[in-house]
Amino acid sequence: MAWVLCFLLLLGLSGGPVSEGHSVHKTTVDTLDLGSLPAINYETNVHSEPGPIEILFRIVKAFLFVVQPHPYPEDLIRKVIRLQFEDTKSDSQQPEHIVLALKAAYYEIGFIILAGLGLLFIFLLPLVGLCFCMCRCCNNCGGEMHQRQKKNGECRRGCFAASLLVVSLIMSLGVLCAFVANQHLTTQVRGARRLLNSNFKDMRALLTDTPRQIDYLLNQYDAPKNKALLDLNNIGPLLGGRVRNQLGKRVLPALDAVLTMAGAIRETREALENVSASLEILQEGTTSLSANLTDAKENLRNTLSDASCSMAQATSTCNAIRNSLNQLSINANFSRLLPVTSQLAKVNEVLKIDLTSLVQQGYAAFNDTPDLVQNQTKNILSDVKSVLDSIGTNITILIKKLPIQKILTDSVIYLTQTETYVEEYFPLVEQYDFYRWLGCLIICCLLVLILVFYYLGLLCGACGYSKHTTPTNRGCVSNTGGNFLMAGVGFSFLFSWALMIVVVFTFVLGGNVEKLVCEPFKERTIFQVLDTPYLFNDQWSSFLSGRLFQKPDVNLTFEQVYSDCKENKGIYTSLQLDKFYNISNFLTISQYTEDLTIKFESIKINLSSIVLLDEVGKENLMNFSYSGIDGIDFAAYLAEVNKSITKVDLLSFANDLEARAEQLPKGALENALKGHASNIRMIHHQHVIPMEQEMKYVKARSTLNQSIRLLQKTATELMVKVNQVISIVNAAQFLINNNASSVIIEETKKYMNVIIGYFERYIQWVKDSVTMDVATCKPLANIVDTAVEVFLCSYITNSVNTFWFGLGAATVFLIPAIIFAVKLSKFYRRMDSEDVYDDVETIPMKNMENGNYGYHKDHLYGLHNPVMTSATGRW
Ligand SMILES: *[C@@H]1O[C@H](CO)[C@@H](O)[C@H](O)[C@H]1NC(C)=O
Ligand SMILES: *[C@@H]1O[C@H](CO)[C@@H](O)[C@H](O)[C@H]1NC(C)=O
Ligand SMILES: *[C@@H]1O[C@H](CO)[C@@H](O)[C@H](O)[C@H]1NC(C)=O
Ligand SMILES: *[C@@H]1O[C@H](CO)[C@@H](O)[C@H](O)[C@H]1NC(C)=O
Ligand SMILES: *[C@@H]1O[C@H](CO)[C@@H](O)[C@H](O)[C@H]1NC(C)=O
Ligand SMILES: *[C@@H]1O[C@H](CO)[C@@H](O)[C@H](O)[C@H]1NC(C)=O
Ligand SMILES: *[C@@H]1O[C@H](CO)[C@@H](O)[C@H](O)[C@H]1NC(C)=O
Ligand SMILES: *[C@@H]1O[C@H](CO)[C@@H](O)[C@H](O)[C@H]1NC(C)=O
Ligand SMILES: *[C@@H]1O[C@H](CO)[C@@H](O)[C@H](O)[C@H]1NC(C)=O
Ligand SMILES: CC(=O)N[C@H]1CO[C@H](CO)[C@@H](O)[C@@H]1O
């Protein structure tokens, strides 16, 4: 009991902090490896294997069930125990006592009857023996050495011999049974030391390993602490990274927009350049075409002003030609378009500032958030670390304050004392067991002696028997046999009462122990009695907790403790230590959490140093929007590009001209017109075809078209876009400067919860370990099992019960053995006289009732029976 108490103290004080249900980030916390608590290895295996003798045990148990079939009298035993512990106040309880005694007597009726019979045996048998002896001494009761011949003499003799043999055999079995039981107990007692030592070893393991387990629990504090420190050292990536990710949701799109805008600026410049270049090419092409066409037109006009055109047949044709002259001109006049040089110059000015690199700086600054956080939390970190150290120190101090060492030393001393005690007294026990063994052996030997007489008697009687001898002239062997039988009878009378005393004593004792302790222990009903409230102490509802903890109102039952320990649960659970030293109260992390929270809340992170886009960048953007590309006459450009090169197809114009010339009278005019037609065809081939088909021009047109459209698109939303981008950037910057704190607070909380989660996990683990795994109390159950089930029941009670069973059977059968032996000896022993036959062949004469009528004096035969004079001969 003392060491149980030690464990309670030890465990109750080994507390730590406890949590209040923070949201724990499982994934992170699960990486916290706390290892597994080193289990205590117990080696005791309380399991007695009696071997073949088990059959005897069962027979005895069956016999006991017949003797005492009542169920376990819980109420009766409660009342008896209560009486024991109550002050014997008054006589007013006398009737109650009587009722109780009657109930007990009723319960014990089987034992009482058998014990009564045993007592009867004890008192009557010596008395009967005495009477019988005296009776025989007076030559009565078969004491006279005369045998009456009877018709069925042979048959009776055979019957008696057989009966005696059977009875002797039964008795032999009984003796054997007693002998085996006696031997079994001694063997078991010799083997008990190993079981005892194993129990001691387990107890020692429990005592020495429990502090180790608790040390392990405490040392594992390093695991969450190191994990927390690691997280604290990585506060930049962990906390800063989270903050960056959160802010990034708004900051990165802003920077991306600026970057896009920078790209748009470069694109604009390219488009402007494309426009300029293409325009130049096209202008060049059209200018020379225009000049040639103008020349051609002038020449044609000069020709038409010739006199021959005023002739009648030619006038209409000439007029028609003159009217069509206007068509001989370029259609797409690129010289009409305003060039984009000023815009290009402005955009080039804008591009002198590298907006892209400014944006990259913004990205870089923003991505440095973790470093910034790391730099700005340096002081806090050391504070938090010191709090963690302080928690660890506090726990250690708490543990150091525990009187564990002293308690354990005490327990060990107690254990050592007990062990020494056992060491010292076990030889004594063995010695006493040897005396007991010797005593029982002697008792068995008494019976064996009697049996030997009987067996010898039977043997000699059987050997010495001859059909033809008359009782008076039976052989020496036969006579000796008879005497042996009588000797057996004598010893039976001598020893039987002593044997019966042993039997009755062991029967009442062993039987009751079996019925009142062993059986109910096996069925656990005995616990129901032991756990009855107020049984042993009328102030204590629970004796166990009252005794152990002075807190009797806690429902601690023997049964629960025993079965919990048998399942090898922790002592904390088995003894319901939570009712006395609630580990949850010690393991409260909330105070530490508070300190940590304060420290974390004081974290101030100022991200103002992050500049996403400086003023130059913004002005640059604005300058771009002022670049004037929205002033370009896109419609004019598009119109010119869409136009055909010339107003009419020059080839068909030339053909028309030739056809008209044909209508004119043959002459110089016709020839001149035909020459103009071929000149126009040449212009077509020289200029129009290249402009239509040459790559340079085709590309220039398409580039112009494409670039102008792009510029047009850019120009339409230029102001809006630039303003949008600038406002997005400003908003993001504002977020960083002002509202980042809310993000930071939120993320700090999450970060802190992760760290606190480590400790919660640790504490939960400590609690679980303490309730389930620390100081598993199997040895306590083992000790009870060893003491009650093995030593008391299996070893002692079973052996004792088997002993009295065998001995009792043998002793009881002494009575029939005596009767048969006495009867049988008559047939073996040589008689002094015998019935006289008138004729051997005829029926013998009736025996005379008295006198020596019909006797033949032995001297008539010249023989003297020496046994007659001996003491045994008179039995
Ligand atoms: C400029 O001209 C080149 C070559 O024709 C072309 O590949 C490019 O796409 C044009 N750029 C723009 C912005 O129109
Ligand atoms: C083309 O446009 C320019 C400028 O407006 C003008 O001077 C020239 O005469 C035009 N040429 C033609 C053929 O219309
Ligand atoms: C952090 O501090 C170190 C030294 O004080 C400095 O070199 C580094 O530039 C700082 N980083 C940031 C992001 O402020
Ligand atoms: C450690 O214990 C001391 C004294 O009990 C107390 O003042 C201190 O706050 C404790 N530290 C922590 C972190 O709880
Ligand atoms: C103990 O058990 C009894 C009933 O068995 C109950 O009335 C009582 O409240 C229990 N006490 C405690 C402390 O659990
Ligand atoms: C132990 O303490 C915890 C919290 O303090 C409580 O929830 C629990 O019920 C207590 N257990 C007992 C048996 O008092
Ligand atoms: C952040 O620091 C700047 C100077 O670096 C300061 O002007 C500003 O007020 C600070 N912001 C906060 C919220 O402390
Ligand atoms: C913007 O334009 C103004 C006037 O054209 C000029 O003075 C200024 O330097 C430009 N700023 C930037 C950043 O290009
Ligand atoms: C280009 O010319 C086609 C006909 O040749 C006309 O349908 C189209 O509308 C013109 N496009 C523009 C932009 O003038
Ligand atoms: C066909 C034609 O007249 N082509 C002339 C166009 O103008 C250039 C010079 O301006 C002359 O070299 C071509 O012969």
Side-chain angles (χ1 to χ4, degrees), residues 151-217:
K151 205 165 48 170
N152 51 1
E154 285 310 305
C155 176
R156 281 161 59 97
R157 175 193 154 102
C159 280
F160 285 139
S163 304
L164 184 58
L165 186 63
V166 168
V167 169
S168 297
L169 284 178
I170 292 174
M171 281 170 65
S172 308
L173 283 183
V175 173
L176 193 67
C177 179
F179 180 76
V180 167
N182 185 31
Q183 202 59 38
H184 179 254
L185 180 53
T186 300
T187 319
Q188 299 291 24
V189 167
R190 294 230 179 90
R193 186 194 281 262
R194 209 174 37 79
L195 189 58
L196 268 179
N197 284 345
S198 152
N199 270 301
F200 279 126
K201 201 170 168 194
D202 282 355
M203 262 337 277
R204 199 173 282 284
L206 177 62
L207 285 177
T208 54
D209 285 359
T210 298
R212 265 187 232 150
Q213 285 186 319
I214 287 167
D215 281 350
Y216 182 82
L217 287 184

Side-chain angles (χ1 to χ4, degrees), residues 725-741:
V725 168
I726 289 178
S727 70
I728 289 177
V729 169
N730 284 342
Q733 187 71 55
F734 185 82
L735 175 73
I736 285 175
N737 290 1
N738 300 298
N739 291 339
S741 55

Side-chain angles (χ1 to χ4, degrees), residues 368-373 375 378 609:
D368 270 350
T369 309
D371 275 347
L372 206 62
V373 169
N375 270 14
K378 253 175 208 158
S609 61

Side-chain angles (χ1 to χ4, degrees), residues 181 185 506-507 509-511 795-805:
L185 180 53
T506 49
F507 164 68
L509 198 70
Y795 290 3
I796 300 177
T797 309
N798 274 343
S799 302
V800 166
N801 285 349
T802 310
F803 181 75
W804 63 246
F805 184 71

Side-chain angles (χ1 to χ4, degrees), residues 731-863:
Q733 187 71 55
F734 185 82
L735 175 73
I736 285 175
N737 290 1
N738 300 298
N739 291 339
S741 55
S742 68
V743 173
I744 289 168
I745 286 170
E746 198 161 299
E747 293 304 326
T748 306
K749 202 169 268 171
K750 285 184 193 162
Y751 171 74
M752 180 183 79
N753 284 344
V754 170
I755 289 180
I756 288 174
Y758 299 144
F759 293 95
E760 273 172 3
R761 167 97 202 280
Y762 168 72
I763 277 154
Q764 193 56 45
W765 175 75
V766 168
K767 270 198 276 187
D768 291 349
S769 298
V770 166
T771 43
M772 297 313 298
D773 302 328
V774 169
T776 45
C777 65
K778 184 125 195 187
L780 298 187
N782 278 348
I783 282 177
V784 174
D785 280 348
T786 305
V788 178
E789 199 178 311
V790 177
F791 284 0
L792 180 61
C793 293
S794 180
Y795 290 3
I796 300 177
T797 309
N798 274 343
S799 302
V800 166
N801 285 349
T802 310
F803 181 75
W804 63 246
F805 184 71
L807 197 68
T811 311
V812 167
F813 276 97
L814 278 178
I815 296 176
I818 289 171
I819 294 170
F820 293 134
V822 169
K823 289 277 186 194
L824 189 61
S825 65
K826 228 16 189 219
F827 290 94
Y828 288 170
R829 295 170 78 186
R830 188 182 305 129
M831 295 290 124
D832 291 344
S833 63
E834 61 185 318
D835 288 349
V836 177
Y837 299 94
D838 291 340
D839 182 339
V840 179
E841 307 301 322
T842 59
I843 301 160
M845 271 182 72
K846 272 250 173 259
N847 273 321
M848 305 306 290
E849 281 308 307
N850 62 14
N852 41 13
Y853 184 80
Y855 272 31
H856 290 267
K857 293 290 174 199
D858 49 355
H859 59 87
L860 286 178
Y861 294 89
L863 270 166

Side-chain angles (χ1 to χ4, degrees), residues 174-408:
V175 173
L176 193 67
C177 179
F179 180 76
V180 167
N182 185 31
Q183 202 59 38
H184 179 254
L185 180 53
T186 300
T187 319
Q188 299 291 24
V189 167
R190 294 230 179 90
R193 186 194 281 262
R194 209 174 37 79
L195 189 58
L196 268 179
N197 284 345
S198 152
N199 270 301
F200 279 126
K201 201 170 168 194
D202 282 355
M203 262 337 277
R204 199 173 282 284
L206 177 62
L207 285 177
T208 54
D209 285 359
T210 298
R212 265 187 232 150
Q213 285 186 319
I214 287 167
D215 281 350
Y216 182 82
L217 287 184
L218 293 180
N219 287 338
Q220 283 308 91
Y221 176 78
D222 285 346
K225 189 182 144 190
N226 289 339
K227 192 97 176 114
L229 288 181
L230 194 67
D231 278 8
L232 287 172
N233 287 332
N234 286 330
I235 190 170
L238 290 177
L239 176 56
R242 287 173 153 283
V243 169
R244 183 184 54 192
N245 290 346
Q246 285 300 317
L247 294 177
K249 284 178 192 155
R250 301 221 5 226
V251 168
L252 294 180
L255 288 173
D256 291 347
V258 178
L259 203 60
T260 312
M261 201 43 100
I265 296 173
R266 282 195 306 276
E267 207 178 47
T268 302
R269 179 183 53 186
E270 198 184 324
L272 286 173
E273 280 169 355
N274 278 3
V275 166
S276 284
S278 313
L279 195 60
E280 216 164 284
I281 291 168
L282 292 172
Q283 269 174 357
E284 202 181 87
T286 50
T287 315
S288 59
L289 174 63
S290 178
N292 280 22
L293 282 180
T294 310
D295 286 350
K297 203 158 57 176
E298 279 315 308
N299 295 343
L300 200 54
R301 190 171 283 139
N302 289 345
T303 309
L304 289 179
S305 61
D306 191 89
S308 57
C309 237
S310 50
M311 286 188 303
Q313 326 97 299
T315 322
S316 65
T317 308
C318 283
N319 279 347
I321 292 172
R322 199 173 287 121
N323 284 344
S324 70
L325 271 185
N326 269 347
Q327 292 177 330
L328 204 58
S329 146
I330 57 167
N331 189 22
N333 182 358
F334 290 103
S335 310
R336 241 189 358 230
L337 297 174
L338 284 172
V340 291
T341 41
S342 79
Q343 285 91 343
L344 187 56
K346 279 192 177 157
V347 170
N348 275 332
E349 189 68 27
V350 167
L351 279 173
K352 275 185 185 155
I353 284 169
D354 188 357
L355 186 60
T356 308
S357 79
L358 290 184
V359 178
Q360 296 303 354
Q361 277 172 26
Y363 277 122
F366 180 65
N367 283 336
D368 270 350
T369 309
D371 275 347
L372 206 62
V373 169
Q374 188 100 36
N375 270 14
Q376 293 187 6
T377 48
K378 253 175 208 158
N379 299 336
I380 297 306
L381 293 196
S382 53
D383 285 358
V384 173
K385 278 174 197 163
S386 70
V387 170
L388 290 186
D389 285 342
S390 144
I391 294 174
T393 320
N394 273 19
I395 290 178
T396 313
I397 287 173
L398 194 71
I399 298 311
K400 287 228 172 98
K401 271 186 195 159
L402 292 177
I404 296 177
Q405 209 54 48
K406 186 180 169 300
I407 287 167
L408 283 187

